[in-house]
Amino acid sequence: MNVIKAEGLTRVFTGRPDRKNRLRRSRHVAVDHLDLSVEAGESVGYIGANGAGKSTTIKMLVGILVPTSGAVTTVGLHPLKQRRALARRIGVVFGQRSQLWWDLPVRESFSILSAIHGLSAADERTRTAELVDMLEMGEFLATPVRQLSLGQRMRAEVTAALLHRPELLILDEPTIGLDVLSKQRLREFLVTQRREHGTTLLLTTHDMGDVERLCDRILVVDHGRLAFDGTLDGLARTVGARRELVVDLATATGDLVDLDGAEHVRSESDGLRQRLAFDPQRTTAARVLAAVSERAEVLDLSITEPDIEDVVREIYRATRR
Amino acid sequence: MAEPEEQRRVRVLRAYRAVLASRARSQASHRASFRMDLVGAVLVGLIEFTEIWVLYSATDQIGGFTLAQIMLVFGLSDLAFSLADLVAGHCDNLPVYVRAGTLDVFFLRPQPLLAQLMTSDLSLRRIGRCLVGATSLTVGLVLNDIDWSVGTVGLLLLALVCGFVIFTAQFVTAAGLQFFLINGSEMTNAFVYGGRYAATQPAVVWPRALLVVFGVIFPVAFAAYLPVSTLLDMPGPLGLPTWLGWCAPVAALWAVTVAGLCWRWGLRHYRGAGG
Amino acid sequence: MRQLPSPSRNPYWRFLVAGFRGQSAYPLATLAGLVANATFGLLKGGIMGAAVESSGGELAGYSAATMAAFVWLGQGMLGSVNFWGGSDLQTRIKSGDVAVDFLRPVSVQAANVLTDVGKGLFALLPRGLPSVVIGVLVSSMALPPDAAAYGLGLLSLLIGITVSHATVYAVATSGFWLVETRGISVLYMAVSGFFAGLFTPIYLFPDWLLTLALLTPFPSMMQFPIDVISGQVTGAGAAQHLGVQLVWLAVVLAVGHLTTRAGRRRLEVQGG
């Protein structure tokens, strides 16, 4: 079954009248004839540059915005005409806007949301307990939401979106601003959730880590159009999503060129620090490191993941040609 | 699987009750500031009554109403407005809801949006205002020579309910229009708070243009002035019949219709269908 | 000879101008305010006109024309004076940002009051003038009888706006000692407009209430400027009004100055 199906989905914004020329209104095509289908149980990363049309698409999927043209169904429902039925079957986390009641304890917000979604008292208890346990929220259940750290709040937001066991969970920038540990914990939880309940995931993100650990399918949107639709492997093949190994060497060394499976990017401080790019599909960091160690003594190292902005830029470059 | 209608309604009511109870609890928990707001609301109401007292004491009557008679109009309209303010007063903060993204969150919940907006807050401190109106109304009822009967009681209750509905409808109308007036939301103050002010006055003193505005479009004349005129057996403005006060339900129905249309129109605009 | 600095290098002048200019960014808001203002003016004009009429054309020294002037000048001033009691200072004290203000080599009091006066003066253009124009169009309101009345009136208006913002400033400094100042604002909101003559001329008050009003700075904010502009008082009477206004200005500025100093000391002791 198609959990999300969009055909020719288009959204045009007509801006306010121009300050200088009152008769001319700016016209901005945010989503441009987008065709999209997501199957039940998939986990889809929806990525693109700022203003590429991600949020607009999501708003149309959940019934906040009306498409200018084209059709969309979410879990088989019409998001506008059947908004309320839809709200019972999907969960949404907007990283920037809160579902929770700012000045109430977290527990209270869960209780109100359970009532809103029509959970029975017994169901509310078991479901809340389950999520609280999995996301380790016991220690701050009695804390007012406004006093939570960002990581804590995000866990509570995700719980708020999952209380009614939605078939589809939409996450808009769920890990933005979180520390490494909080990100990790949230990702693990989402993976488990999906495995155990078969929840379909759609998430927008600026974090390549989210995509790599959570998504088995990636959609890249560019100027409102799909620029890429495929697997992570496919994405890596298209843009050569490479990682960078940064090594600090004991002595100034000449550029480490001709290494097996890695390419020299640049050297700094007379070759004391060198950056090497490699394709994780073809080799591993350990093998590259071993090759470096044959030539120089390595004092320290770090691996940087490709920036999603770079990946997106690469995709854009590849598809616009 | 269809859920029985009855059961569904119970659940929805439970949801609203949960939200409102939580709002009430959170307000009561800030006790000092809550008390201050309560006292402040009473004080503002008292000052407003004092204005009327000053004005009607300085002269025998205005627009055919003595101080004792105007106390009925003031009391009835102020009580109705304060009750409406209690329930729906936060609606005209719509731009705040839009900016904070609260409205988008409402879209994600399976209840009607307007119901969610109305039940998203309950300002208990506004109870203070109700007290002032209720007191003025009571004193007015004692001071005036009223021919008590089932009809008089019925008229008073009808006026109070319809006044409440009319003012609530004004708040919702304001919310609907504010989708278009995010930076100009003060414009709706003209008929929401202007309407409240107008409702405490004998409509005969209004300039002609405002008779249409507050007698017909935003029919606050039906909230207190016309029913009280009927109650005291005084002739209506412009030679209109005395029984006009019994038509308050028609005015209330009209106000609700306008509010419903404005809200739907505003919502369409927000979703980008109408604009 | 020491050269005078250009006004644009004077920080206090800049505060005034910044306040003035900050208001021009929202034309729709201005229009909205005008619509609300005019509606209230029409309602107030209606009831006050009826009151004068039912008293035989003269009420507490007001004729229909001077009462209309009272109503519309008052509506016109509404955007320029502060009867709601909140202020930037109040928020900045609450958030603790005021500590930063004290680090600047300028007077916190002057900076705040001047910015607000700038805003108030700006509001005279889009809100004040149109209100008066509407008043002239819809009523037979009295206008200043001669050039001297205009001059004195504008001066009285300027002092009135300044008294208003200087008073709100002084009230806001209570935040240095109180945790929650909202109650004070609510109290201020309830009382200030009433005693300033926002709703009815204070001369309609019974004697004891009038005496009470005259013991506060509030009539200096609105009632007195209106009296002078509308020509309700002239000559020596007008001069007396201005004198009283200046005394109140000095009083509220002095109070604000002292509370600011004490508040600053308190911040320093408590480490902000």
Side-chain angles (χ1 to χ4, degrees):
Chain A
M1 189 197 94
N2 281 320
V3 171
I4 297 172
K5 179 118 189 101
E7 278 169 348
L9 192 62
T10 302
R11 174 70 217 196
V12 180
F13 288 105
T14 20
R16 298 186 164 277
D18 216 296
R19 257 189 179 268
K20 285 175 192 131
N21 181 355
R22 295 251 154 208
L23 289 175
R24 198 178 61 207
R25 281 170 177 266
S26 61
R27 200 166 162 281
H28 170 63
V29 185
V31 175
D32 191 2
H33 296 89
L34 190 74
D35 294 320
L36 187 67
S37 75
V38 174
E39 301 288 315
E42 276 194 288
S43 178
V44 179
Y46 192 50
I47 64 179
N50 283 328
K54 290 172 296 183
S55 298
T56 308
T57 312
I58 288 184
K59 283 186 172 182
M60 288 193 284
L61 291 180
V62 301
I64 296 178
L65 269 182
V66 181
T68 309
S69 65
V72 60
T73 57
T74 309
V75 293
L77 298 171
H78 188 291
L80 288 160
K81 292 187 189 132
Q82 295 167 293
R83 179 188 72 77
R84 293 171 60 189
L86 179 63
R88 289 176 206 282
R89 291 175 53 185
I90 62 169
V92 183
V93 177
F94 284 122
Q96 311 289 351
R97 28 199 71 172
S98 180
Q99 286 252 38
L100 309 164
W101 280 262
W102 202 238
D103 46 359
L104 298 181
V106 178
R107 184 190 290 122
E108 196 100 18
S109 282
F110 293 163
S111 174
I112 295 171
L113 282 162
S114 301
I116 280 175
H117 283 291
L119 265 57
S120 71
D123 205 11
E124 175 187 333
R125 263 196 306 279
T126 48
R127 185 64 176 154
T128 311
E130 177 191 354
L131 290 165
V132 166
D133 182 48
M134 287 177 80
L135 282 164
E136 299 166 42
M137 295 187 294
E139 65 196 66
F140 58 85
L141 264 188
T143 313
V145 173
R146 64 185 136 81
Q147 292 172 13
L148 298 184
S149 72
L150 190 59
Q152 291 173 330
R153 209 202 81 195
M154 200 45 77
R155 279 183 270 163
E157 294 285 355
V158 170
T159 304
L162 284 174
L163 278 170
H164 55 295
R165 298 191 180 83
E167 303 152 49
L168 167 66
L169 179 62
I170 298 177
L171 303 131
D172 189 17
E173 301 286 353
T175 57
I176 202 162
L178 298 191
D179 61 79
V180 182
L181 199 67
S182 303
K183 273 184 195 176
Q184 200 50 42
R185 183 149 39 180
L186 192 58
R187 286 170 187 158
E188 278 166 18
F189 167 78
L190 290 171
V191 168
T192 319
Q193 185 67 25
R194 193 181 153 216
R195 194 176 55 229
E196 288 179 2
H197 298 273
T199 314
T200 310
L201 291 183
L202 175 70
L203 66 118
T204 74
T205 184
H206 275 88
D207 191 321
M208 203 59 196
D210 287 348
V211 175
E212 289 186 341
R213 287 176 188 68
L214 288 173
C215 305
D216 42 34
R217 181 176 164 201
I218 292 155
L219 303 171
V220 180
V221 64
D222 177 24
H223 283 84
R225 291 166 176 271
L226 267 195
F228 176 84
D229 179 356
T231 59
L232 188 61
D233 289 358
L235 184 72
R237 271 197 300 279
T238 311
V239 297
R242 301 184 304 175
R243 284 180 198 202
E244 233 174 51
L245 177 69
V246 185
V247 286
D248 287 351
L249 305 175
T251 50
T253 311
D255 294 352
L256 295 163
V257 288
D258 299 328
L259 284 172
D260 187 26
E263 188 188 320
H264 178 257
V265 180
R266 66 169 185 274
S267 298
E268 294 160 23
S269 314
D270 295 329
L272 278 174
R273 169 173 290 182
Q274 305 211 4
R275 292 171 178 272
L276 307 158
F278 65 97
D279 181 352
Q281 309 291 323
R282 293 222 311 267
T283 184
T284 62
R287 281 180 23 212
V288 178
L289 185 63
V292 174
S293 302
E294 280 174 19
R295 299 212 200 159
E297 190 185 344
V298 177
L299 292 180
D300 198 3
L301 67 109
S302 63
I303 299 174
T304 57
E305 300 199 335
D307 194 19
I308 209 152
E309 306 287 340
D310 293 337
V311 175
V312 166
R313 216 172 294 127
E314 280 294 320
I315 287 274
Y316 288 178
R317 204 179 302 151
T319 52
R320 279 183 200 159
R321 261 199 290 262
Chain B
M1 192 177 64
E3 193 183 359
E5 182 62 16
E6 181 84 357
Q7 202 176 332
R8 201 185 64 79
R9 208 171 289 159
V10 169
R11 282 182 174 179
V12 170
L13 277 179
R14 206 185 119 214
Y16 292 161
R17 212 182 47 206
V19 175
L20 292 182
S22 70
R23 301 315 311 168
R25 262 201 306 282
S26 99
Q27 287 170 35
S29 68
H30 299 101
R31 231 184 249 164
S33 94
F34 177 71
R35 249 193 318 242
M36 199 65 225
D37 282 345
L38 205 63
V39 171
V42 174
L43 195 67
V44 171
L46 279 179
I47 294 279
E48 271 173 36
F49 177 75
T50 312
E51 288 151 28
I52 300 237
W53 172 70
V54 164
L55 196 57
Y56 284 79
S57 303
T59 158
D60 297 339
Q61 52 80 25
I62 300 174
F65 277 70
T66 63
L67 178 60
Q69 289 168 330
I70 205 69
M71 281 182 81
L72 287 173
V73 178
F74 175 81
L76 199 55
S77 64
D78 213 44
L79 181 57
F81 184 89
S82 306
L83 288 171
D85 198 16
L86 190 74
V87 174
H90 52 276
C91 290
D92 78 342
N93 274 334
L94 190 93
V96 177
Y97 284 73
V98 169
R99 246 174 266 134
T102 318
L103 197 75
D104 285 351
V105 171
F106 288 166
F107 276 96
L108 308 175
R109 296 184 186 148
Q111 276 83 26
L113 292 161
L114 183 58
Q116 287 190 59
L117 175 65
M118 288 184 74
T119 56
S120 67
D121 205 352
L122 179 74
S123 291
L124 289 178
R125 63 195 157 85
R126 292 179 172 131
I127 284 176
R129 270 314 287 272
C130 300
L131 290 177
V132 177
T135 310
S136 172
L137 178 62
T138 313
V139 174
L141 288 175
V142 173
L143 287 182
N144 285 284
D145 184 21
I146 291 165
D147 184 16
W148 286 103
S149 69
V150 179
T152 13
V153 175
L155 182 62
L156 277 172
L157 286 176
L158 189 73
L160 187 59
V161 171
C162 291
F164 167 75
V165 172
I166 289 170
F167 286 123
T168 305
Q170 305 311 320
F171 279 115
V172 174
T173 307
L177 294 179
Q178 284 178 3
F179 281 109
F180 302 89
L181 303 168
I182 293 287
N183 277 323
S185 51
E186 212 187 325
M187 198 146 349
T188 61
N189 288 356
F191 65 85
V192 175
Y193 298 95
R196 172 178 74 169
Y197 181 45
T200 61
Q201 300 176 350
V204 280
V205 309
W206 297 344
R208 278 293 162 86
L210 290 190
L211 269 178
V212 179
V213 174
F214 290 123
V216 181
I217 305 175
F218 309 106
V220 297
F222 287 88
Y225 167 69
L226 289 171
V228 170
S229 295
T230 306
L231 190 75
L232 300 173
D233 204 20
M234 296 165 83
L238 307 171
L240 289 167
T242 304
W243 50 259
L244 205 58
W246 286 102
C247 296
V250 180
L253 195 65
W254 161 251
V256 168
T257 310
V258 171
L261 288 175
C262 281
W263 173 255
R264 296 187 72 151
W265 187 39
L267 209 56
R268 273 173 62 93
H269 176 78
Y270 184 74
R271 289 170 140 186
Chain C
M1 199 181 97
R2 201 173 135 242
Q3 207 184 352
L4 278 174
S6 85
S8 68
R9 305 305 326 148
N10 182 319
Y12 298 109
W13 175 251
R14 299 293 288 269
F15 292 139
L16 196 69
V17 173
F20 192 88
R21 296 196 10 187
Q23 294 301 294
S24 57
Y26 305 101
L28 182 61
T30 307
L31 177 69
L34 193 61
V35 170
N37 203 1
T39 310
F40 274 94
L42 285 170
L43 287 168
K44 209 159 94 177
I47 189 89
M48 297 311 292
V52 172
E53 199 181 316
S54 77
S55 315
E58 199 268 320
L59 177 63
Y62 283 89
S63 65
T66 51
M67 190 58 99
F70 166 82
V71 169
W72 289 103
L73 289 173
Q75 289 304 105
M77 284 185 70
L78 208 43
S80 304
V81 289
N82 181 338
F83 287 144
W84 61 283
S87 63
D88 273 357
L89 182 75
Q90 190 184 25
T91 7
R92 290 184 73 81
I93 292 178
K94 192 161 181 167
S95 66
D97 290 348
V98 72
V100 181
D101 300 350
F102 278 129
L103 297 178
R104 300 199 182 118
V106 290
S107 154
V108 170
Q109 183 185 25
N112 273 281
V113 175
L114 282 172
T115 307
D116 289 342
V117 170
K119 286 180 190 171
L121 288 177
F122 174 81
L124 287 177
L125 295 180
R127 299 186 72 153
L129 272 182
S131 291
V132 173
V133 170
I134 294 170
V136 169
L137 291 177
V138 302
S139 73
S140 54
M141 72 178 261
L143 289 169
D146 49 45
Y150 272 102
L152 278 181
L154 288 179
L155 192 59
S156 176
L157 180 64
L158 177 64
I159 303 172
I161 291 171
T162 316
V163 172
S164 167
H165 295 295
T167 310
V168 169
Y169 174 89
V171 170
T173 54
S174 63
F176 287 120
W177 293 271
L178 301 175
V179 183
E180 181 59 79
T181 51
R182 201 168 59 197
I184 304 260
S185 298
V186 170
L187 189 70
Y188 190 87
M189 184 170 72
V191 172
S192 59
F194 181 67
F195 283 141
L198 174 60
F199 308 103
T200 58
I202 58 172
Y203 310 115
L204 261 62
F205 290 178
D207 286 343
W208 63 271
L209 200 56
L210 178 59
T211 312
L212 192 63
L214 292 174
L215 291 173
T216 69
F218 302 120
S220 295
M221 299 171 186
M222 186 175 248
Q223 180 74 56
F224 292 172
I226 291 177
D227 289 348
V228 178
I229 300 174
S230 65
Q232 185 82 359
V233 295
T234 47
Q240 194 192 344
H241 267 29
L242 274 139
V244 175
Q245 281 188 293
L246 284 172
V247 170
W248 275 115
L249 182 60
V251 169
V252 293
L253 282 176
V255 170
H257 179 71
L258 292 175
T259 49
T260 306
R261 226 169 49 184
R264 178 182 194 158
R265 214 171 300 129
R266 186 180 156 88
L267 270 191
E268 284 161 3
V269 171
Q270 299 196 335

